[in-house]
Amino acid sequence: MAPSSGSALALAATLRALDDDALERLIRERQIGRQGIRDYFDLAEALLDRTSIQSALSRLDRPTLALLAAAGELAGSTGAPTLEQLRLTLDTPAPETEQRVARAFAAGLLGRESGRVVPWDAVVEQLRAWPSFGLPSGTELRSAPAPAALEPVSDADARFIDRGAAERAYGTVGIIFELVQALRDEPARRVSRGGLALPDARRLAAAAAVEVDELDVMLDLAERAGLVIAAPRAWTVADEAAAWLESPRLDRWRILAAAWRARLPEELRELLHQRAHAIWGDGLLDYLDWRYPAGRDWVRERVAIVLAGAEKLGIIGSQRPSTAGSALLGDGAEAAAAVLASHFPAEVDKVYLQHDLSIVAPGPLVPELDRRLRLVADIDARGLASSYRVTTASVTRALIAGETDDTLLEFLAGISLTGVPQPLEYLVRDTASHFGTLRVGPADVAEMRSVIRSTDRARTHQLLVDPNLSPLALRELDDGRLASRFTPDIVYWSLHDARYPVVAEDAAGRIVTLRRARVVGESEPVSDDTAAIVVARLRDSTGSVAESGDEGWISRQLELAAKNKVAVAVRVQMPDGTEQDFVLEPAAVAGGRVRARDRKSDLERTLPLASITAVEPAGD
């Protein structure tokens, strides 16, 4: 069924008067694609498509739907209603009535003209058809009561909830910390549907010690906090992540929780604030089903994401808000962090160094200590009492970063509760003595891109026969060096991953630090902004809003009226300079003229478009 031409004409004029930002918001909210949208009339018809209208109605709350239904009923009996008529019909305060009208107007579901609210015919028809789809009628939208009152959380439940919530909050901060660290080392590729590529998903899950199916909610929390970025081709780390990684664990939680609260969808923010001390559970879903009668699917999907994040952050437990969660919803993240502080274990600055080269932390380490310890040792096990392991490769990593054997041993002695075991001291000294003896740098040999040099000929022979390095196609040169046709970074990471104490150098022989190649460049262009493209096309189609009488605009109005066989009111400038109004039923527009039946005289008229100064939908 085609949309009413009168509505389409009026909506096109409304759209033309909007500023660019409002137009872009409308196009995004209504999910209008760019195909087939040449001008405001095409956009108006797309917005009045019944499928598009139903999608838009499904995202409106019950009070706004009730206003739309009431506006349609009043328009059918007494004409387009005023705000005061709507206020009296709905028995709502004037500011609330205005808010509902503004919400429906922003969604492209009604117009405003001369102090009156103009509901589009297609919207009215769709709402009238709702009962046949099992959806509430206009009367039910206004009168059906909300679900039962909220059930408060008892003190006994709160104490039980708080213990589990604090444990989850503590664990989630640690998991996101490891995810950010892993993404900083190497971005994670995204597949075409937006999910993680399986190899990268497994890598991140292993780094954070979680199941693969937990990654989505953790990445969502990190993205909300601005720590990671879902670029078109990969998950990457944001610049803000550096400061977050250096913060105490409680501050990390505060930032995550504040972002969760700030990014709550509009339809949930006020509702969850009301339920800051009440059970969520099925009661929450029942209320949302009532509040958004046509939005069950999208509402429940969005709620599931929000609740999953709340559960991980300890904001709720068993569908009940924790004490910290109640503080977060009621007073903000600072108040919530103050509540949670007593439940988080204290950070420590001492560790146990073991003879087997492992390091055990009896609690969460202070950020600066953890950062430096990760430089000299690999994380072995994560948890309240984490463990690390010192290896030749990890000591080499620290040496590349500028440490020496003396500074490393001094650091380890300063944080140890058990002194520095002899095997650990020997490993550090021995690695330092061989540091820089195996190097990868740019080639100075024809047809080769990198060379490996070592003072230990046995080591270079070992590289030649190592099957793990066979893809590098290493070739021994006359001077004992090894050459490869691959770039120095590829050769370096191949040796590093094979656990050789390798360093990278530049052409001058200076040791340099390499980072793994990023999957996407920071300058990679983002995907097209459909809304901005459509708005630019609209502006080009008819010129500025001030040019209300231009021939192209008038022609498209008359074409639309002819297409849908409805009457329009036109104003024509006569040869003597006077203006005359006609109510016409256009039949065709061609050759700079419109052929139409004059409703009043029942005669056919042919008028030049250049003489028509205004076109409006005709009244009944």
Side-chain angles (χ1 to χ4, degrees):
M1 178 178 178
S4 162
S5 181
S7 291
L9 289 173
L11 178 54
T14 298
L15 295 171
R16 196 183 191 202
L18 295 177
D19 61 35
D20 288 1
D21 290 341
L23 262 178
E24 288 186 19
R25 282 194 300 271
L26 175 60
I27 292 168
R28 291 192 188 99
E29 182 177 324
R30 293 290 294 273
Q31 299 178 348
I32 302 297
R34 72 173 85 168
Q35 295 299 321
I37 307 297
R38 298 164 300 168
D39 54 30
Y40 295 98
F41 300 97
D42 292 332
L43 178 57
E45 290 193 290
L47 291 169
L48 292 175
D49 175 77
R50 292 289 286 270
T51 300
S52 178
I53 287 172
Q54 180 60 27
S55 176
L57 293 175
S58 74
R59 294 184 177 273
L60 290 184
D61 59 18
R62 182 176 287 262
T64 307
L65 291 167
L67 179 137
L68 278 172
E73 293 167 5
L74 290 170
S77 57
T78 62
T82 64
L83 280 173
E84 180 62 14
Q85 288 176 303
L86 283 172
R87 187 190 71 77
L88 292 172
T89 300
L90 297 169
D91 191 23
T92 55
E96 184 176 334
T97 305
E98 173 61 36
Q99 288 173 0
R100 298 185 194 180
V101 169
R103 191 176 300 127
F105 178 81
L109 297 171
L110 56 75
R112 306 185 71 168
E113 182 180 346
S114 303
R116 294 182 178 271
V117 174
V118 183
W120 308 134
D121 295 343
V123 176
V124 174
E125 292 166 7
Q126 186 68 13
L127 281 172
R128 285 175 180 166
W130 266 25
S132 63
F133 304 132
L135 295 170
S137 65
T139 301
E140 290 169 334
L141 286 171
R142 293 193 293 272
S143 61
L150 308 180
E151 180 183 348
V153 178
S154 69
D155 291 341
D157 282 344
R159 288 191 295 272
F160 173 76
I161 291 166
D162 286 348
R163 287 195 296 272
E167 291 177 3
R168 288 192 304 278
Y170 178 87
T172 295
V173 171
I175 291 169
I176 293 177
F177 181 90
E178 299 298 342
L179 283 178
V180 174
Q181 290 274 30
L183 288 173
R184 188 166 65 170
D185 291 339
E186 182 179 358
R189 290 173 295 119
R190 301 178 72 200
V191 295
S192 58
R193 295 184 299 277
L196 279 168
L198 186 56
D200 285 312
R202 288 172 174 166
R203 174 175 64 84
L204 293 181
V210 295
E211 298 296 327
V212 170
D213 57 10
E214 291 185 71
L215 290 176
D216 284 346
V217 65
M218 296 298 180
L219 287 171
D220 178 70
L221 290 172
E223 184 185 25
R224 287 171 182 264
L227 306 177
V228 298
I229 300 169
R233 290 174 52 200
W235 282 97
T236 60
V237 174
D239 293 339
E240 292 77 7
W244 185 84
L245 291 171
E246 297 291 337
S247 301
R249 191 172 293 242
L250 187 63
D251 284 345
R252 295 176 200 159
W253 181 87
R254 177 183 54 77
I255 291 168
L256 292 170
W260 177 90
R261 183 178 187 264
R263 293 276 297 275
L264 280 174
E266 181 181 354
E267 66 274 4
L268 289 177
R269 187 176 297 113
E270 180 181 353
L271 176 59
L272 295 185
H273 180 76
Q274 295 170 355
R275 291 175 177 261
H277 300 279
I279 296 173
W280 295 9
D282 292 338
L284 174 65
L285 296 177
D286 291 342
Y287 179 84
L288 288 170
D289 286 342
W290 174 86
R291 182 83 173 179
Y292 297 89
R296 180 185 178 93
D297 291 342
W298 73 264
V299 168
R300 294 202 169 211
E301 180 180 350
R302 185 169 292 183
V303 168
I305 295 172
V306 170
L307 294 187
E311 188 84 25
K312 294 296 185 184
L313 287 173
I315 296 166
I316 60 172
S318 302
Q319 298 296 319
R320 291 162 167 78
S322 64
T323 303
S326 297
L328 174 70
L329 293 166
D331 302 314
E334 291 288 351
V339 171
L340 198 61
S342 61
H343 296 281
F344 266 28
E347 293 179 337
V348 300
D349 60 2
K350 298 293 182 181
V351 297
Y352 296 98
L353 303 185
Q354 310 282 356
H355 282 74
D356 63 355
L357 304 180
S358 64
I359 301 174
V360 177
L365 294 174
V366 295
E368 175 59 26
L369 174 55
D370 179 64
R371 183 193 64 78
R372 193 171 179 190
L373 193 55
R374 284 171 180 262
L375 186 64
V376 68
D378 297 322
I379 188 78
D380 210 16
R382 302 162 187 83
L384 186 59
S386 299
S387 64
Y388 306 76
R389 184 167 299 277
V390 182
T391 65
T392 300
S394 68
V395 174
T396 300
R397 180 174 65 232
L399 295 172
I400 292 174
E403 298 279 6
T404 66
D405 52 349
D406 288 335
T407 61
L408 286 177
L409 291 173
E410 181 182 359
F411 164 66
L412 293 172
I415 64 172
S416 177
L417 293 167
T418 53
V420 179
Q422 187 176 17
L424 179 55
E425 180 178 1
Y426 174 79
L427 175 66
V428 172
R429 297 289 189 194
D430 183 66
T431 304
S433 68
H434 292 90
F435 176 66
T437 59
L438 180 62
R439 299 184 176 216
V440 175
D444 54 2
V445 182
E447 300 182 0
M448 294 291 145
R449 303 178 71 181
S450 60
V451 293
I452 303 171
R453 64 188 181 94
S454 175
T455 56
D456 185 350
R457 299 299 290 269
R459 176 60 57 81
T460 54
H461 177 74
Q462 182 182 0
L463 299 181
L464 282 172
V465 299
D466 189 335
N468 295 317
L469 303 179
S470 58
L472 296 178
L474 298 176
R475 192 184 80 189
E476 188 171 13
L477 303 176
D478 293 341
D479 58 6
R481 294 182 300 165
L482 305 181
S484 173
R485 56 185 175 83
F486 293 99
T487 58
D489 59 328
I490 293 176
V491 175
Y492 170 84
W493 287 113
S494 297
L495 295 179
H496 176 274
D497 292 343
R499 309 191 76 81
Y500 287 99
V502 62
V503 298
E505 64 180 5
D506 60 18
R510 294 183 294 262
I511 293 177
V512 296
T513 301
L514 294 183
R515 287 192 175 274
R516 290 189 188 270
R518 298 175 68 87
V519 178
V520 292
E522 294 181 356
S523 61
E524 181 174 339
V526 298
S527 58
D528 290 335
D529 186 336
T530 295
I533 292 172
V534 171
V535 169
R537 189 182 296 168
L538 295 176
R539 298 307 190 203
D540 290 341
S541 69
T542 56
S544 68
V545 176
E547 297 167 348
S548 57
D550 71 78
E551 188 172 319
W553 174 254
I554 287 172
S555 175
R556 283 292 283 133
Q557 289 177 290
L558 295 171
E559 287 173 1
L560 187 61
K563 173 183 175 183
N564 290 286
K565 297 181 173 58
V566 296
V568 290
V570 301
R571 179 161 293 173
V572 180
Q573 187 173 41
M574 307 305 289
D576 60 1
T578 62
E579 290 187 331
Q580 187 171 347
D581 293 335
F582 298 93
V583 177
L584 304 177
E585 294 177 359
V589 179
R593 296 177 176 273
V594 57
R595 181 168 54 85
R597 186 179 72 85
D598 186 326
R599 179 180 283 185
K600 182 177 181 180
S601 63
D602 198 26
L603 297 174
E604 182 175 286
R605 297 182 183 276
T606 300
L607 301 172
L609 296 178
S611 298
I612 300 175
T613 60
V615 177
E616 295 180 356
D620 294 332

